[in-house]
Amino acid sequence: MGLAVLVSAMMAGTMVPPAAAQDLSGEIRFSWWGSTVRNAKAESIISMFEKANPGVKVSREPGEWGSYWDKLTVQSASGNQPCAITMQSRWLAQYADPSILQPLDDKVASGELDVTGIDSAVLDSGRGSDGNLYFIPHGVFYFTLFMNKTAIEDAGMELPPDDWTWDDYAQYARDLSDKLPEGSYAVGNQGGAMDTFTDWVQSHGETLFTPEGEVGFTKQTVVDYFDFWEALRKDGVTETADQMAEIPDNIIDDTLLANGKILIDARPANQVDGHQKVLDAAMPGQELVIHSYPVGPSGTGEDIGSNGLAIGATCDENGTKLTEAWINFFTENPDAAATYSSDNGVVSVDRFRTAQLENPDTTPGQYQAVNMLSTVGPRAKSAYFPSGGYSALSGALTSAYETVAFEQSSSADAADKLIAQVKRLVRD
Amino acid sequence: MFLLPWFLGLVFITLGPVLVSLYLSFTRYNILKPPRWIGLDNYVELFIWDPQFWAAVRVTFFFVGWSVPLVLVMSLGIAVLLNRGLSFLPVYRSIFYIPSLIGGSVAIGLLWREVFGSSGIVNQFLQGFGIATRSWVATPETAPWTLVSLNVWTFGAAMVIFLAALRQIPTSLYEAASIDGASAWTRFRRITLPLLTPVIFFNLILQVIHSFQAFTQSFIVSNGTGGPAESTLLYTLYLYQRAFVQLDMGYASAMAWVLLIVIAVFTGLLFWSARFWVYYGDG
């Protein structure tokens, strides 16, 4: 009898959601970026949270990616940032200061914030250069190669092996290019693209930035990178320089990859479905698969980043408590995770990844993105960016490679210019 | 007393921020941390260490140097044509004026990208003649010209001013000249142009100031990058990048002050030169 009571009490204890048990009340502001799809998902998760905590109201502050960071910066400068702030590892350095965001280590240690099932490497991507944890990652993003499997096989080739090198990559691209008709290209030119450059640098044993915020790669690495892509471009293996400069990667409908004109290109893994949808319309029957990057002399070089939730430093005690409950709900509640469905990066909590893989409603693209993270996640090296580092390097890289591709300067001069420009732009 | 609202507006909305930006131009300021005084460092870096600054200066002078004369010639030419007693003049005048209302808008910037893109109508037209084509907005040699052409296309505002001025010229002058056997060109050269010089001067000043400050076109046409290869990096776009992408408000403030001084110098030069070529009818 006594045992039964104890057991049922324990059962009851585990059944009651921790948030509801605290009897919370009040209002917090929650800001995020995203499209209408994500806004709808966020809306329904907030409704679930408010239903579970009747005294709590979450004020919605949705935003668009480009203006999100400007807005957060201005809010932070005036001490008016929301309590619950969506944060990204690449942009964290700007805000990683206890006067802007609350350090979270103590809350994790005391159990006020629940990080069950989040890989420690992923959790660490929420740390600033001062070592403090500033946000709880809920989604993991990484870049990978998209391959138009159908078109490659139609050209009489097989998909490459997983353990290929950059030289193999170039050779494979040339072989494929020989079999393609005019106007189709084997690979997309990544000479000015930040994510493949990151992979190149890290697979050659260097880093983009040192922890002190200095440029971490050498001139020779940049020269080799530019030469690698120039050789392919000049032989017509990639698209032309003006096509490369004209078509932005972020508008999926316009990309040559999604329109079946480029067979291999680098993209964030969570965009498979988006590209597949456009490809279905442009070239019915063709299938995109994801494939790992080549291996460099120092092994793999994949970068991994995360999106998550932070707490504003100006949030008062009650607001902080509400925000903790909201972060726990958003990150660890199975219904919330199922609703969000890895919308902003593959879900960081391992049991939700398993659930997504087992869910018959999961799309083929999502399945691949979730599945491949188990390969990429453990070996990835999360690139560090100092304040302003990401925008400075990505802009300088694109511009420098364009001067090479339009034959205005040599790889060596462009590499010098790139490094000098980043050094000038990244300063405190 | 009646001036008080205006005066308060001037002090708090215009003068205050202007003076603050002058102060900020001597600091390092990223919005999140308080400004830190660094003296003339921003200006030194601008002029000595920043090749992007000089690239932006080159692109901007190219843009101003071509688009200002082209706008003036175009608007004066069309105004003279329209002034020849055309029927439906108000209709034509409105049609030519419309581009200057919408030319600075984001929508037109996007349209320009499409028109001069690799599959835009310009290329479709050229392909009809079998001419090899390329993307005009994404080739460094041609991309600045697409910006110039967009600016020239908005000649309507200058044209309306010219048209009004043309109507002020007494017809008796032309009649007298015709009787003396002056050709149409001579009448234009000896009567129209001299009497128009005050208005040409006015339009010239407006266009120079306007062109130095052009921003939207290059921001939209290049997706905010100033590319390809910095060929469309107008000064204001580079200023924007430093201010709102790199959050380098001190540096951007210094750039804004340099631009102000350059525009002031050019305007001053034009006023100085006016005494040699502008005719105010007083002998």
Side-chain angles (χ1 to χ4, degrees):
Chain A
M1 178 64 191
L3 188 67
V5 170
L6 189 64
V7 169
S8 69
M10 279 172 64
M11 290 290 286
T14 55
M15 293 307 284
V16 176
Q22 292 173 10
D23 211 12
L24 301 162
S25 72
E27 180 170 342
I28 54 165
R29 290 153 59 206
F30 166 48
S31 68
W32 74 93
W33 69 83
S35 61
T36 47
V37 176
R38 186 173 304 159
N39 293 346
K41 288 180 174 181
E43 177 62 38
S44 62
I45 297 171
I46 294 169
S47 304
M48 282 156 58
F49 178 69
E50 287 175 337
K51 217 169 171 185
N53 301 278
V56 177
K57 185 164 174 354
V58 178
S59 155
R60 289 95 162 137
E61 295 190 2
E64 181 263 328
W65 168 259
S67 56
Y68 180 83
W69 302 102
D70 289 346
K71 189 174 161 192
L72 180 59
T73 303
V74 173
Q75 285 176 331
S76 306
S78 57
N80 186 35
Q81 64 270 49
C83 272
I85 302 168
T86 308
M87 186 45 66
Q88 181 176 96
S89 50
R90 283 178 179 173
W91 292 81
L92 177 64
Q94 199 99 48
Y95 309 95
D97 190 285
S99 67
I100 301 171
L101 303 176
Q102 295 187 19
L104 305 179
D105 294 275
D106 292 348
K107 300 179 197 301
V108 170
S110 69
E112 287 165 299
L113 283 173
D114 185 2
V115 295
T116 312
I118 302 178
D119 210 38
S120 65
V122 171
L123 193 64
D124 285 346
S125 67
R127 291 190 188 280
S129 56
D130 56 6
N132 287 332
L133 182 68
Y134 283 106
F135 72 90
I136 306 295
H138 58 64
V140 180
F141 61 86
Y142 60 99
F143 268 69
T144 182
L145 298 177
F146 286 12
M147 297 197 170
N148 189 326
K149 179 168 179 260
T150 320
I152 289 173
E153 287 172 355
D154 287 350
M157 304 258 300
E158 284 175 22
L159 290 178
D162 278 333
D163 57 342
W164 57 339
T165 64
W166 286 103
D167 289 340
D168 297 339
Y169 176 95
Q171 189 55 48
Y172 183 86
R174 286 173 190 283
D175 293 345
L176 180 58
S177 179
D178 289 342
K179 300 184 168 68
L180 295 178
E182 183 92 351
S184 283
Y185 304 99
V187 297
N189 194 330
Q190 293 282 307
M194 184 69 179
D195 302 282
T196 303
F197 179 69
T198 307
D199 198 285
W200 176 276
V201 167
Q202 298 195 146
S203 69
H204 285 73
E206 296 177 353
T207 58
L208 295 182
F209 291 98
T210 65
E212 293 77 38
E214 306 287 330
V215 171
F217 52 86
T218 57
K219 175 185 170 185
Q220 192 56 44
T221 303
V222 184
V223 172
D224 292 344
Y225 185 69
F226 287 167
D227 289 344
F228 179 87
W229 290 106
E230 277 302 275
L232 294 177
R233 183 188 68 79
K234 284 180 178 159
D235 290 346
V237 179
T238 75
E239 78 272 34
T240 60
D242 62 331
Q243 283 174 315
M244 177 189 78
E246 182 179 358
I247 304 167
D249 284 347
N250 56 1
I251 301 172
I252 295 178
D253 297 63
D254 292 349
T255 60
L256 294 172
L257 173 73
N259 286 289
K261 301 283 185 205
I262 281 178
L263 303 194
I264 300 173
D265 212 344
R267 286 290 178 276
N270 60 337
Q271 288 186 2
V272 190
D273 283 333
H275 283 79
Q276 183 69 57
K277 203 172 130 198
V278 179
L279 187 63
D280 285 342
M283 299 273 171
Q286 294 196 348
E287 184 196 356
L288 283 181
V289 296
I290 63 180
H291 194 279
S292 50
Y293 269 110
V295 180
S298 305
T300 57
E302 285 122 337
D303 171 33
I304 201 165
S306 66
N307 299 307
L309 294 177
I311 307 180
T314 49
C315 195
D316 64 16
E317 200 176 325
N318 186 50
T320 303
K321 210 188 267 176
L322 298 182
T323 310
E324 287 163 9
W326 165 240
I327 293 177
N328 287 336
F329 187 86
F330 194 97
T331 316
E332 297 281 348
N333 183 292
D335 295 333
T339 305
Y340 209 57
S341 183
S342 296
D343 194 76
N344 199 4
V346 175
V347 63
S348 61
V349 176
D350 53 5
R351 61 181 189 282
F352 299 149
R353 281 203 296 277
T354 315
Q356 274 190 27
L357 289 177
E358 286 165 356
N359 186 344
D361 292 339
T362 301
T363 63
Q366 269 179 330
Y367 187 92
Q368 292 185 60
V370 174
N371 197 30
M372 189 155 175
L373 183 62
S374 57
T375 314
V376 172
R379 71 184 185 207
K381 301 157 194 162
S382 181
Y384 169 69
F385 293 98
S387 182
Y390 185 81
S391 51
L393 180 52
S394 57
L397 176 72
T398 305
S399 177
Y401 181 64
E402 279 171 355
T403 62
V404 181
F406 285 107
E407 303 184 358
Q408 294 179 342
S409 80
S410 67
S411 299
D413 289 347
D416 278 335
K417 191 183 160 215
L418 162 70
I419 292 173
Q421 188 169 328
V422 173
K423 281 185 175 162
R424 274 189 300 104
L425 290 177
V426 179
R427 49 187 215 170
D428 52 345
Chain B
M1 187 63 197
F2 294 114
L3 281 176
L4 193 65
W6 173 85
F7 190 71
L8 287 179
L10 176 77
V11 170
F12 287 103
I13 299 174
T14 308
L15 205 58
V18 166
L19 290 178
V20 170
S21 99
L22 180 62
Y23 163 69
L24 287 179
S25 74
F26 298 106
T27 66
R28 191 152 290 174
Y29 179 47
N30 73 350
I31 302 183
L32 294 170
K33 292 178 190 143
R36 180 158 53 89
W37 183 266
I38 55 168
L40 286 170
D41 282 9
N42 284 329
Y43 292 94
V44 172
E45 183 168 340
L46 259 182
F47 287 108
I48 299 178
W49 301 112
D50 189 351
Q52 272 179 298
F53 168 78
W54 291 108
V57 167
R58 268 195 306 278
V59 173
T60 307
F61 274 105
F62 177 92
F63 179 76
V64 174
W66 282 104
S67 64
V68 171
L70 287 175
V71 166
L72 291 179
V73 169
M74 185 93 171
S75 54
L76 181 57
I78 303 280
V80 169
L81 285 180
L82 287 184
N83 195 37
R84 300 173 76 180
L86 230 49
S87 38
F88 303 115
L89 173 65
V91 177
Y92 289 115
R93 199 171 50 198
S94 306
I95 290 175
F96 284 119
Y97 185 63
I98 286 174
S100 45
L101 290 178
I102 59 176
S105 71
V106 172
I108 295 301
L110 289 171
L111 177 74
W112 227 249
R113 260 189 88 78
E114 293 301 316
V115 166
F116 288 98
S118 49
S119 51
I121 55 166
V122 171
N123 276 349
Q124 286 173 9
F125 178 75
L126 292 177
Q127 274 159 1
F129 296 95
I131 298 170
T133 59
R134 56 176 161 183
S135 172
W136 302 90
V137 289
T139 305
E141 291 79 28
T142 55
W145 286 106
T146 64
L147 294 186
V148 171
S149 69
L150 176 53
N151 204 36
V152 172
W153 183 62
T154 62
F155 65 88
M159 180 203 74
V160 167
I161 297 171
F162 277 134
L163 204 49
L166 285 171
R167 307 216 133 185
Q168 298 292 319
I169 299 177
T171 45
S172 56
L173 292 176
Y174 292 112
E175 284 160 8
S178 297
I179 292 166
D180 289 342
S183 67
W185 168 248
T186 311
R187 282 186 312 234
F188 176 74
R189 174 77 187 76
R190 299 286 173 199
I191 300 173
T192 314
L193 265 189
L195 289 176
L196 274 185
T197 47
V199 178
I200 295 177
F201 177 61
F202 175 73
N203 270 333
L204 177 64
I205 298 270
L206 279 192
Q207 289 298 326
V208 166
I209 294 175
H210 174 76
S211 302
F212 269 115
Q213 296 179 340
F215 171 75
T216 322
Q217 295 97 324
S218 72
F219 182 74
I220 300 298
V221 170
S222 73
N223 268 327
T225 63
E230 292 174 353
S231 60
T232 61
L233 188 68
L234 287 181
Y235 191 89
T236 50
L237 179 59
Y238 183 47
L239 192 157
Y240 168 86
Q241 289 181 350
R242 291 304 291 249
F244 295 101
V245 179
Q246 291 306 129
L247 294 183
D248 223 338
M249 292 295 166
Y251 200 76
S253 297
M255 286 188 68
W257 276 89
V258 170
L259 178 63
L260 179 76
I261 290 164
V262 168
I263 292 179
V265 166
F266 268 84
T267 313
L269 280 176
L270 289 175
F271 269 99
W272 171 79
S273 76
R275 69 174 78 175
F276 301 111
W277 62 274
V278 177
Y279 172 70
Y280 285 108
D282 50 5

